[in-house]
């Protein structure tokens, strides 16, 4: 019988693996429904370790929305570490869900959410462990019904799914909330009719209804020089350009309502509340900001209700207000003050990741850390020189930064972390060396503002990876040698500075994983065989430095691409011209290709672009194409007072005066960072 | 300030929780149940929960204990019911009592464990137990994060008996004194395998059945009884 629990087989193996708790399920607010009662069975996966995957909001949202349907069952699975994988293979235990410990192969639909391309090898592990043929070509089966689940990719990385086109049956572009319900409806009706025509017919129905992109319904041809000649559909009734889904009115979709509360330790131990989706700041490197347009705010009222209900349902002691640039919410000041008032005395920490460099953010951070210790604030100027910041359209002047950090230090913050990227288009050694100048100015400003010398600044640097559907999609990626050499120069310069050298910390990891991320981010279908070879050679968990092997990827590229006239460099460091057909051009994120090109040209001229929330529309194309518009406040409302979890009738303040009663928020948690990647 | 002592069980698949997992889950459960927990003072206030020696990851238990300080009074039975309802099944709150007597750790110096050993032959286990109990001392090594540690299992074992649950599963009951470092069920197993030929094809399932003060007859005194007696005495006084 389908859907039987594998737990009795798994349990004896668990004492032999690291952190067995990650495989047992049983989280707060998890749902296990009877298998037989459901008409449609969904398995949802985040293809990374449980500790990373469990907090993923996308999976949690879809899990809850699907399980709210009376005749739908949704369970979750995550990547198993190699120690358990070996035991599962030895004991013939297939990939299982953590909720009911059911075989993934028994489900109708297998949705996999990709936040990063480095999860692709883990997809192959899961498919193989589930007993699903790796390649879609091997999943064709005659007759009715499903032999294996239909594999559906989603998430930001799925906006260029071509490198995994051989392995996934369908792709959902954009917001998944409504899409999963519509896919469910079609699957339910198709199954009720006896699942006619098997897998191919179901895929055809989903594609015809414009719900998904089905790679096998599109053929790709190549020119002798290796570039794409054409991408053409091989069925007339599927869309020429499958388009992304856009959820409008986020107030009607306040998910997750009952967030999962993990038993194991995970990377984010907090209640996450998304305060808006989309971003129109127009940072040219930022794929998330391009593909999630337009801006759709949740109202202050809904945010307040979600925080209240989420804390009550979870028992979390920290709230993170998420978005791509949280301080840009039209009522963020009211939200911050309202929440800080409401949760004063309850030992609930508030944090605001992803904000920008400006003094207002220090005010917000102060609000979030009332009475608490002020340890660290993060700002992300991203580019070292003002010219480079105009190239990437992240307009922050050195004066802005110094003014902001001065305010922060004067308000008692002790450490500032600055986040930059290296390897940006047009970047020179000089641009990167200006990071040292900025760090020096920051330390000096901090010493002036605070009146003492014990001031720290950490410079954290990531390698830039060009992504699809951005103005930088045509750019040549900097080689890891160039990036590593520039950063060595920078580090030597900082260290040689006798005045501030010791006050500046330096964080950087080597540039090679970024090259592979670049290969996967802008690759086409030919890259699929590289992924498969890497996986067959043992590649797993490529996002983890202890598992990632650059040599393995290089060797696989050499073996699989050379005969095709392309290479790792061809996919990464090569600049594309305007006419080249890009592997994802047939996928519609709403962005007008001419606008993207014009913005790329503006970038090369270091010309900035304003945010369309406050200045006239600059015709990126999204709103007219998708029939959407920015949905922003202010609503003019304030948070209604509630008695929150953690404050009891005899509140801590009256029962226990003194430091404990005055409720310090552990404010090292009150981060303000400007990263939007 | 009122303090409540709690006995809870860790059962089924939740036996794979580590002590840190349990502590986090209880802290959230206390918040979810709206128990008025007192917090420590200082820059990063923590809920005032004190734990008494935790069963190892992978071991089930019917007798785990902690003590929590309250910022406002609450009936122990109400704490028990509401906290239990706020925790996942498998972390089950068994008893709560108001703390009125000397510290809990002073009343716990031994544990009684039961090991289910599927696939182990009872005859072999019998021999191994007799052999171990016949020794003066038996030291085993255990790999820990900080290298290898040696513990004397024989010194810690007070008594041990075994029986057959059925044809395919042996049961070992053992009382172990709390030593530093602690002797854990897998140490007992290592010791038994060291003194006799004992095949354990499947990892055994250990369950801590009791913790308490070791009496002369080898039984354990329930550490919450003095608090319960004290509560009963106070109620008696009030009624009288």
């Amino acid at each position: 019988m389908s859907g039987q629990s594998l737990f009795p087989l798994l349990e004896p193996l668990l004492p032999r693996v690291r952190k067995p708790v990650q495989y047992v399920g049983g989280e707060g607010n998890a749902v296990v429904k009877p298998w037989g009662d459901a008409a449609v069975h969904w398995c949802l996966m985040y293809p990374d370790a449980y500790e990373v995957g469990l907090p993923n909001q996308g999976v949690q949202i879809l899990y809850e929305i699907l399980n709210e349907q009376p005749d739908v069952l949704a369970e979750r699975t995550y990547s198993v570490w190699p120690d358990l994988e070996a035991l599962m293979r030895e004991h013939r235990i297939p990939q299982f869900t953590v909720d009911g410990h059911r075989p993934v192969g028994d489900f109708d639909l297998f949705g996999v959410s990709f936040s990063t391309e480095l999860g692709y090898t883990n997809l192959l592990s899961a498919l193989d462990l589930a007993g699903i043929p790796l390649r879609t070509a091997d999943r064709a089966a005659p007759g009715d019904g499903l032999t294996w689940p239909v594999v559906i990719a989603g998430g930001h990385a799925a906006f260029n799914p071509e490198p995994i086109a051989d392995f996934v049956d369908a792709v959902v572009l954009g917001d998944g909330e409504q899409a999963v319900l519509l896919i469910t409806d079609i699957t339910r009706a198709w199954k009720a009719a006896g699942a006619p025509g098997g897998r191919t017919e179901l895929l055809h129905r989903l594609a015809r209804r414009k719900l998904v992109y089905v790679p096998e319904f599109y053929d790709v041809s190549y020119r002798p020089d290796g570039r794409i000649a054409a991408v053409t559909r091989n069925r007339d009734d599927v869309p020429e350009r499958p388009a992304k889904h856009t959820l409008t009115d986020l107030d009607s979709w306040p998910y997750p309502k009952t967030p999962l509360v993990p038993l194991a330790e995970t990377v984010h131990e907090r209640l996450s509340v998304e305060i808006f989706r989309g971003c129109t700041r127009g940072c040219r490197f930022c794929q998330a900001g391009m593909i999630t347009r337009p801006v759709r705010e949740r109202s202050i009222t809904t945010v307040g209700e979600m925080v209240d209900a989420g804390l009550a349902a979870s028992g979390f002691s920290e709230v993170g207000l998420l978005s791509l640039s949280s301080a840009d919410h039209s009522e963020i000041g009211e939200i911050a003050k309202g929440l800080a008032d409401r949760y004063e005395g309850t030992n609930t920490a508030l944090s605001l990741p992803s904000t920008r460099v400006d003094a207002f953010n220090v005010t917000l951070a102060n609000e979030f850390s009332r009475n608490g210790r002020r340890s660290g604030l993060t700002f992300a100027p991203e580019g070292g020189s003002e010219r480079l910041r105009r190239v990437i359209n992240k307009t922050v002047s050195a004066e802005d930064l110094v003014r902001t950090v001065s305010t922060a230090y004067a308000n008692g913050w002790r450490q500032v972390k600055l986040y930059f990227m290296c390897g940006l288009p047009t970047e020179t050694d000089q641009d990167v060396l200006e990071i040292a100048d900025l760090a020096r100015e920051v330390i000096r400003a901090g010493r002036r503002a605070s009146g003492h010398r014990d001031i720290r600044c950490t410079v954290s640097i990531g390698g830039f990876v060009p992504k699809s559907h951005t103005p930088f999609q045509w750019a040549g990626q900097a080689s890891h040698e160039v990036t590593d050499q520039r950063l060595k120069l920078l580090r030597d310069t900082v260290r040689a500075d006798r005045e501030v050298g010791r006050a500046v910390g330096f964080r950087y990891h080597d540039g090679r994983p970024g090259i592979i991320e670049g290969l996967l981010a802008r690759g086409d279908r030919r890259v699929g065989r590289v992924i498969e070879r890497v996986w067959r050679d043992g590649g797993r968990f490529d996002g983890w430095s202890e598992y990632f092997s650059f040599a393995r990827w290089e060797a696989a590229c050499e073996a699989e691409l050379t005969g095709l006239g392309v290479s790792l460099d061809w996919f990464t460091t090569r600049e594309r011209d305007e006419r080249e057909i890009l592997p994802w051009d047939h996928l519609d994120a709403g962005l007008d290709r001419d606008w993207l090109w014009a913005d790329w040209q503006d970038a090369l001229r270091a010309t900035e672009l304003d945010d369309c929330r406050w200045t006239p529309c600059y015709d990126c194309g999204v709103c007219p194409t998708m029939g959407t518009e920015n949905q922003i406040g202010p609503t003019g409302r304030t948070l209604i007072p509630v008695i929150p979890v953690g404050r009891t009738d005899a509140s801590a303040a009256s029962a226990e005066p003194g430091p404990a009663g005055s409720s310090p928020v552990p404010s090292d948690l009150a981060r303000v960072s400007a990263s939007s990647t | 300030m009122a303090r409540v002592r709690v006995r809870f069980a860790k059962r089924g698949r939740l036996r794979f929780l580590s002590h840190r997992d349990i502590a986090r889950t209880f802290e959230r459960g206390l918040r979810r149940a709206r128990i008025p927990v007192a917090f420590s003072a200082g820059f990063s206030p923590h809920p005032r929960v004190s734990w008494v020696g935790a069963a190892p990851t992978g071991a089930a238990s019917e007798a785990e204990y902690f003590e929590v300080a309250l910022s406002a009074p609450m009936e122990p039975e109400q704490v028990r019911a509401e906290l239990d309802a706020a925790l996942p099944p498998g972390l089950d709150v068994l008893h709560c009592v108001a703390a009125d007597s000397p510290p809990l750790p002073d009343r716990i110096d031994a544990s009684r464990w039961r090991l289910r050993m599927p696939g182990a032959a009872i005859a072999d286990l019998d021999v191994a137990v007799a052999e171990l109990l016949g020794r003066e001392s038996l030291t085993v090594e255990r790999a820990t994060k900080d290298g290898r540690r040696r513990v004397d299992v024989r010194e810690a074992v007070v008594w041990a008996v075994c029986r057959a649950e059925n044809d395919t599963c042996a049961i070992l009951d053992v009382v172990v004194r709390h030593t530093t470092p602690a002797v854990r069920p897998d140490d007992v197993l290592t010791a038994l395998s060291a003194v006799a030929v004992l095949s354990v094809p499947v990892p055994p399932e250990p369950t801590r059945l009791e913790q308490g003060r070791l009496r002369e007859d080898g039984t354990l005194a329930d550490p919450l009884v003095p608090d319960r007696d004290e509560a009963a005495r106070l109620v008696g006084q009030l009624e009288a």
Side-chain angles (χ1 to χ4, degrees):
Chain A
M1 189 200 123
S2 278
Q4 290 273 42
S5 173
L6 298 163
F7 196 71
L9 301 176
L10 183 67
E11 188 170 12
L13 307 182
L14 292 180
R16 299 165 62 186
V17 303
R18 250 181 72 247
K19 295 193 196 161
V21 63
Q22 65 187 308
Y23 305 114
V24 305
E27 301 92 343
N29 299 320
V31 176
V32 183
K33 291 180 166 184
W35 183 265
D37 294 357
V40 179
H41 305 92
W42 273 92
C43 177
L44 302 174
M45 177 176 202
Y46 189 86
D48 202 337
Y50 179 87
E51 65 198 76
V52 178
L54 185 285
N56 180 265
Q57 291 296 290
V59 170
Q60 289 203 22
I61 289 169
L62 301 186
Y63 177 75
E64 187 168 345
I65 286 177
L66 289 168
N67 276 319
E68 278 184 356
Q69 302 290 309
D71 66 343
V72 178
L73 173 157
E75 300 198 352
R76 297 159 295 127
T77 189
Y78 304 94
S79 296
V80 297
W81 287 107
D83 60 348
L84 183 59
E85 181 185 337
L87 288 171
M88 286 164 65
R89 290 186 185 279
E90 183 189 332
H91 294 266
R92 299 179 179 281
I93 297 177
Q95 181 81 23
F96 57 85
T97 59
V98 296
D99 299 291
H101 294 93
R102 309 189 215 255
V104 170
D106 286 359
F107 286 74
D108 301 313
L109 303 163
F110 181 24
V112 189
S113 177
F114 292 99
S115 302
T116 154
E117 297 82 0
L118 292 174
Y120 292 162
T121 46
N122 282 3
L123 166 70
L124 298 195
S125 296
L127 291 175
D128 189 57
L129 281 169
I132 302 170
L134 290 190
R135 293 176 165 266
T136 57
D138 299 326
R139 289 178 213 156
D144 300 339
L146 284 176
T147 314
W148 299 286
V150 168
V151 181
I152 307 176
H156 286 185
F159 271 83
N160 175 25
E162 294 302 279
I164 51 169
D166 289 346
F167 315 121
V168 298
D169 297 306
V171 179
V172 173
L173 299 176
D175 300 326
E177 284 94 336
Q178 290 163 309
V180 291
L181 292 178
L182 295 169
I183 291 169
T184 302
D185 289 344
I186 287 179
T187 306
R188 182 194 288 116
W190 173 78
K191 280 184 77 180
R199 163 187 174 279
T200 310
E201 172 60 21
L202 176 58
L203 289 174
H204 194 197
R205 291 185 184 194
L206 295 172
R208 259 189 344 237
R209 285 282 302 275
K210 303 183 178 177
L211 294 176
V212 299
Y213 161 57
V214 178
E216 70 194 55
F217 294 162
Y218 299 77
D219 297 321
V220 182
S221 56
Y222 302 94
R223 293 156 46 136
D225 65 5
R227 289 183 291 170
I228 291 172
V231 179
T232 42
R233 56 185 166 167
N234 54 36
R235 289 174 184 248
D236 291 342
D237 52 358
V238 299
E240 212 166 337
R241 293 190 75 211
K244 73 165 179 179
H245 298 266
T246 308
L247 186 72
T248 56
D249 189 11
L250 264 65
D251 284 341
S252 301
W253 297 83
Y255 295 92
K257 294 173 182 168
T258 53
L260 291 167
V261 187
L263 302 170
E265 189 167 12
T266 63
V267 293
H268 294 305
E269 297 279 329
R270 64 183 175 212
L271 172 70
S272 295
V273 174
E274 188 183 19
I275 61 173
F276 64 89
R277 200 173 291 180
C279 179
T280 45
R281 284 280 181 179
C283 301
R284 292 176 175 129
F285 55 84
C286 178
Q287 187 191 40
M290 294 290 162
I291 61 178
T292 61
R293 296 169 174 220
V295 173
R296 290 147 290 156
E297 284 188 358
R298 279 207 168 97
S299 69
I300 181 172
T301 315
T302 306
V303 169
E305 286 165 2
M306 286 179 72
V307 171
D308 183 46
L311 286 175
S314 67
F316 282 127
S317 54
E318 186 188 345
V319 182
L321 300 181
L322 304 192
S323 75
L324 293 171
S325 180
S326 290
D328 285 344
H329 191 287
S330 63
E331 291 177 293
I332 190 64
E334 276 297 328
I335 291 174
K337 182 180 179 305
L339 292 179
D341 285 349
R342 184 194 280 180
Y343 295 102
E344 191 156 359
T346 68
N347 293 294
T348 305
L350 303 167
S351 73
L352 193 68
S354 303
T355 62
R356 297 173 60 88
V357 181
D358 79 47
F360 174 59
N361 289 316
V362 180
T363 313
L364 285 177
N366 290 346
E367 195 68 88
F368 276 6
S369 61
R370 279 185 202 168
N371 310 316
R373 179 174 45 145
R374 293 181 175 167
S375 53
L377 277 182
T378 302
F379 299 104
E382 313 279 5
S385 71
E386 209 153 318
R387 183 196 69 81
L388 201 55
R389 291 194 292 274
R390 285 200 305 272
V391 169
I392 63 177
N393 202 39
K394 184 125 190 182
T395 318
V396 182
S397 67
E399 295 75 53
D400 288 339
L401 181 65
V402 167
R403 196 177 318 120
T404 305
V405 298
S406 297
T407 312
Y409 286 121
N411 279 280
W413 297 89
R414 295 170 189 187
Q415 179 165 353
V416 163
K417 188 170 156 192
L418 300 177
Y419 183 81
F420 296 93
M421 283 189 290
C422 184
L424 290 161
T426 77
E427 177 185 281
T428 64
D429 289 0
Q430 193 48 45
D431 291 313
V432 175
L433 286 176
E434 285 194 32
I435 293 173
D437 300 336
L438 278 183
R440 188 182 309 116
E441 288 307 312
V442 162
I443 295 292
R444 283 179 181 159
R447 286 176 179 163
R448 266 198 312 274
S450 67
H452 53 85
R453 283 186 61 79
D454 180 26
I455 286 297
R456 296 279 305 161
C457 165
T458 302
V459 170
S460 187
I461 301 184
F464 167 63
V465 179
K467 295 279 168 111
S468 63
H469 303 282
T470 68
F472 288 170
Q473 63 182 356
W474 288 280
Q477 184 174 357
S479 72
H480 60 92
E481 289 92 347
V482 165
T483 310
D484 290 351
Q485 174 264 329
R486 279 190 188 140
L487 290 171
K488 184 175 180 310
L489 196 62
L490 171 62
R491 186 172 46 202
D492 293 347
T493 307
V494 170
R495 292 223 172 124
D497 188 321
R498 298 184 58 180
E499 184 196 342
V500 303
R502 287 177 169 207
V504 178
F506 199 75
R507 294 229 180 105
Y508 170 67
H509 304 290
D510 87 291
R512 294 178 305 171
I515 290 292
I516 300 309
E517 191 185 332
L519 167 75
L520 300 173
R522 290 195 297 169
D524 57 39
R525 293 187 183 184
R526 294 170 292 188
V527 173
R529 50 178 91 192
V530 177
I531 298 169
E532 186 173 339
R533 178 178 283 262
V534 165
W535 176 76
R536 290 196 187 282
D537 288 348
R540 306 279 190 281
F541 289 94
D542 283 301
W544 298 71
S545 56
E546 59 269 51
Y547 287 93
F548 176 81
S549 161
F550 188 65
R552 182 155 52 204
W553 280 96
E554 258 187 327
C557 286
E558 187 71 33
E560 297 290 348
L561 299 179
T562 309
L564 303 171
V566 292
S567 65
L568 178 55
D569 279 349
W570 191 88
F571 281 109
T572 54
T573 57
R574 182 179 62 96
E575 185 172 333
R576 281 74 159 164
D577 71 25
E578 185 179 5
R579 285 178 309 279
E580 178 168 345
I581 295 171
L582 303 173
W584 53 90
D585 274 347
H586 61 294
L587 300 177
D588 190 0
L591 298 152
D592 178 41
R593 196 179 196 273
D594 292 338
W595 175 77
L596 283 174
W597 179 263
D599 202 42
W600 169 225
Q601 298 307 305
D602 281 349
L604 296 175
R605 286 189 295 266
T607 304
E608 299 152 35
L609 181 71
D610 282 331
D611 190 316
C612 65
R613 271 170 291 190
W614 307 297
T615 59
C617 169
Y618 47 72
D619 293 325
C620 75
V622 171
C623 290
T625 311
M626 298 292 153
T628 53
E629 58 184 0
N630 283 337
Q631 297 176 323
I632 56 176
T635 62
R637 283 174 292 201
T638 51
L639 285 183
I640 49 164
V642 294
I643 295 175
V645 176
R647 181 180 299 160
T648 49
D649 304 302
S651 84
S654 58
E656 200 181 57
S662 56
S663 148
V665 175
S667 54
D668 48 337
L669 300 173
R671 283 177 291 264
V672 172
S673 86
S675 169
S676 33
T677 50
Chain B
M1 180 182 312
R3 286 172 299 140
V4 170
R5 287 172 183 166
V6 181
R7 174 177 178 172
F8 68 96
K10 147 168 117 142
R11 294 169 172 157
R13 57 185 173 169
L14 295 205
R15 73 184 166 100
F16 293 106
L17 267 65
S18 71
H19 171 57
R20 281 160 54 89
D21 299 332
I22 288 176
R24 244 189 347 265
T25 302
F26 266 97
E27 280 177 23
R28 288 176 191 155
L30 288 162
R31 290 180 83 98
R32 212 140 68 116
R34 296 177 179 251
I35 311 287
V37 176
F39 275 70
S40 63
F43 273 140
S44 48
H46 279 82
R48 290 183 48 187
V49 178
S50 341
W51 296 87
V52 182
T57 307
S61 177
E62 293 294 316
E64 299 298 291
Y65 294 90
F66 69 88
E67 190 171 295
V68 55
L70 303 183
S71 60
M74 190 167 175
E75 277 301 315
E77 175 50 28
Q78 197 188 351
V79 173
R80 192 206 62 75
E82 292 186 8
L83 183 56
D84 189 52
L87 289 167
L91 278 185
D92 301 320
V93 185
L94 305 177
H95 303 292
C96 285
V97 296
D100 280 318
S101 54
L104 203 45
D106 292 356
R107 278 189 263 142
I108 294 179
D109 60 9
S111 289
R112 181 160 68 92
W113 288 93
R114 174 162 298 168
L115 279 78
R116 281 193 78 245
M117 300 168 66
I122 182 68
D124 295 348
L125 185 58
D126 252 336
V127 172
V129 167
E131 188 63 33
L132 174 64
L133 294 178
R135 302 282 177 105
E136 283 280 296
S137 145
L138 195 108
T139 305
V140 302
E141 271 196 351
R142 187 203 313 152
T144 69
K145 270 185 209 145
D146 320 312
R148 306 195 71 82
R149 301 191 73 170
R150 297 171 63 82
V151 289
D152 188 339
V153 172
R154 179 61 193 96
E155 193 190 5
V157 168
V158 180
W159 56 260
V161 292
C162 58
R163 62 189 163 89
E165 184 182 75
N166 52 46
D167 290 349
T168 60
C169 184
I171 301 277
L172 175 70
D173 277 356
V174 56
V175 168
V176 179
R177 270 189 208 90
H178 291 184
T179 51
T180 312
V183 169
R184 309 198 306 201
D186 48 335
D187 298 322
V188 175
L189 209 66
T190 309
L192 291 171
S193 305
V195 295
V197 179
L198 181 64
S199 159
V200 187
V202 184
E205 295 155 25
T207 303
R208 172 142 67 189
L209 297 177
E210 284 183 274
Q211 291 192 77
R213 172 72 62 79
L214 185 62
R215 298 195 189 98
E216 275 186 17
D217 64 357
T219 60
L220 300 179
D222 182 336
L224 298 189
V225 161
D227 296 305
R228 239 176 271 149
D229 289 350
E230 178 65 12
R233 193 182 64 79
L234 288 173
V235 170
Q237 272 184 352
L238 284 174
E239 284 172 353

